[in-house]
Amino acid sequence: IAKMKQKDGSVMTYVIEVKPEAQTKMPVQKKKTKRFLQEAATYAVNQEKWRAADIFCQEHGWKFLVLTEKDLGI
C-alpha cells in the first residue's frame, strides 16, 4: 500500500502487487502439458484475486495496480 500526493494536493492510496510478467498473461500452448495446466491455473487465480482487489479498492476510493519487472525496469 502506498499513499502518493497528487498534483492537486490530494492524497491517493494505491494497492500495488508485483508479479512476473508471465503470470499476467494467459498462457498459450497447443498441448495440455502439466506445466501449461499449472500456468493456466495460476493465471486464473491471479485474475480472480485482482478482480476482487480492484472491487475492494474502488469501494474505498483507492487504486489497484499490478506491476511487472518491465514496469519496474528490471
Side-chain angles (χ1 to χ4, degrees), residues 25 50 52 57 73:
K25 296 181 180 180
W50 297 335
C57 287

Side-chain angles (χ1 to χ4, degrees):
I1 296 177
K3 292 185 179 189
M4 296 183 198
K5 193 171 191 178
Q6 306 297 301
K7 289 181 181 181
D8 65 0
S10 65
V11 176
M12 176 58 71
T13 300
Y14 293 88
V15 175
I16 303 167
E17 182 163 359
V18 180
K19 283 286 188 190
E21 185 175 16
Q23 291 184 10
T24 64
K25 296 181 180 180
M26 181 181 286
V28 179
Q29 188 173 6
K30 293 180 182 176
K31 295 181 181 179
K32 292 187 178 182
T33 63
K34 184 176 180 180
R35 180 177 177 181
F36 170 76
L37 294 174
Q38 183 179 12
E39 289 173 359
T42 297
Y43 175 78
V45 167
N46 284 338
Q47 290 298 306
E48 284 302 310
K49 181 172 56 171
W50 297 335
R51 185 185 65 76
D54 191 48
I55 291 169
F56 177 84
C57 287
Q58 286 179 19
E59 290 172 352
H60 289 83
W62 301 347
K63 296 211 180 218
F64 177 69
L65 300 173
V66 177
L67 302 178
T68 68
E69 65 274 12
K70 288 189 176 185
D71 297 318
L72 299 174
I74 298 174

